[in-house]
């Protein structure tokens, strides 16, 4: 009996570390993300995903405090995943502070988040929209360039990207990287 109580005590103590959502971080390695399912979700039906990358010095917690964004995702019947940069900034190609970056660390992080989230939650991994604001918008365009098969729709918002006119809005199978530099694996 004592062994059962000890097992239950320690087993229950570990549960909060496994739980994550809009108010608690979901850990992937040294990084994290947050997620909220649509209001009224039954807990089992797969839902589409809106994956959002915050702007400079933002956070996944800040994204989750945006009631309008959460409401929009919920109204669309989609889960909202908020990526969380390391130190408030995305490490991307041609970033003023990381000119030698190829962005691979961020792309690996996004892959890890989507893999982790689809393992933990009922998500439809074939229906992903990736978007972001400012620095997060740059992440999304670089991601669309490097891994365009990942999302059905990619839309960066409120950022400046050199040669931006050479990129097309990607929408499912119709997106193709237009820039020669993009086809070589690095966004401008």
């Amino acid at each position: 009996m004592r062994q059962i109580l000890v097992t239950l005590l320690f087993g229950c103590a570990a549960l909060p570390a496994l739980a994550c959502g809009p108010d608690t971080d979901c850990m992937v390695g040294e990084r994290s993300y947050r997620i909220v399912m649509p209001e009224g979700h039954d807990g089992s039906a797969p839902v589409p995903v809106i994956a959002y990358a915050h702007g400079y010095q933002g956070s996944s917690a800040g994204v989750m405090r945006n009631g309008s964004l959460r409401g929009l995702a919920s109204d669309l019947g989609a889960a909202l995943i908020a990526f969380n940069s390391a130190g408030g900034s995305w490490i991307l190609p041609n970033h003023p502070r990381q000119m030698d970056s190829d962005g691979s660390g961020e792309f690996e992080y996004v892959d890890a988040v989507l893999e982790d989230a689809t393992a933990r939650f009922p998500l439809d991994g074939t229906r992903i929209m990736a978007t972001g604001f400012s620095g997060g918008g740059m992440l999304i365009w670089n991601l669309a360039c490097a891994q365009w098969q990942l999302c059905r729709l990619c839309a960066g918002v409120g950022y400046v990207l050199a040669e931006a006119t050479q990129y097309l809005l990607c929408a499912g199978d119709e997106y193709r990287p237009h820039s020669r530099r993009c086809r070589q694996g690095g966004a401008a």
Side-chain angles (χ1 to χ4, degrees):
M1 179 68 170
R2 184 175 182 193
Q3 184 178 6
I4 292 172
L5 288 174
V6 168
T7 302
L8 285 174
L9 177 65
F10 286 108
C12 290
L15 287 178
L18 298 175
C20 65
D23 300 316
T24 55
D25 291 338
C26 302
M27 298 304 297
V28 285
E30 299 293 315
R31 305 270 297 269
S32 65
Y33 68 95
R34 293 194 180 191
I35 184 170
V36 62
M37 299 300 285
E39 225 174 283
H41 182 256
D42 66 9
S44 62
V47 297
V49 175
I50 297 175
Y52 186 88
H54 63 75
Y56 180 68
Q57 295 300 313
S59 69
S60 58
V63 171
M64 288 296 158
R65 287 191 298 269
N66 184 330
S68 295
L69 185 57
R70 283 178 64 165
L72 173 67
S74 184
D75 289 350
L76 293 171
L80 175 64
I81 294 176
F83 298 129
N84 204 22
S85 69
S89 182
W90 304 104
I91 301 171
L92 301 169
N94 300 310
H95 186 284
R97 293 193 177 114
Q98 297 103 18
M99 291 300 287
D100 60 342
S101 173
D102 64 359
S104 61
E106 299 297 359
F107 306 148
E108 290 167 8
Y109 162 74
V110 168
D111 288 343
V113 165
L114 295 175
E115 182 178 330
D116 184 75
T118 54
R120 290 185 196 222
F121 301 92
L123 304 176
D124 182 349
T126 67
R127 295 175 28 194
I128 299 172
M129 177 205 179
T131 187
F133 176 72
S134 187
M138 289 189 290
L139 169 66
I140 298 309
W141 278 118
N142 277 278
L143 184 67
C145 180
Q147 297 176 229
W148 62 269
Q149 304 91 334
L150 179 71
C151 59
R152 305 244 338 142
L153 176 68
C154 297
V157 179
Y159 67 97
V160 175
L161 180 66
E163 298 183 24
T165 58
Q166 294 187 17
Y167 293 86
L168 302 174
L169 179 67
C170 66
D173 295 335
E174 296 182 24
Y175 169 78
R176 295 293 182 268
H178 180 66
S179 164
R180 182 175 56 81
R181 289 175 70 184
C182 186
R183 285 191 301 272
Q184 292 172 349

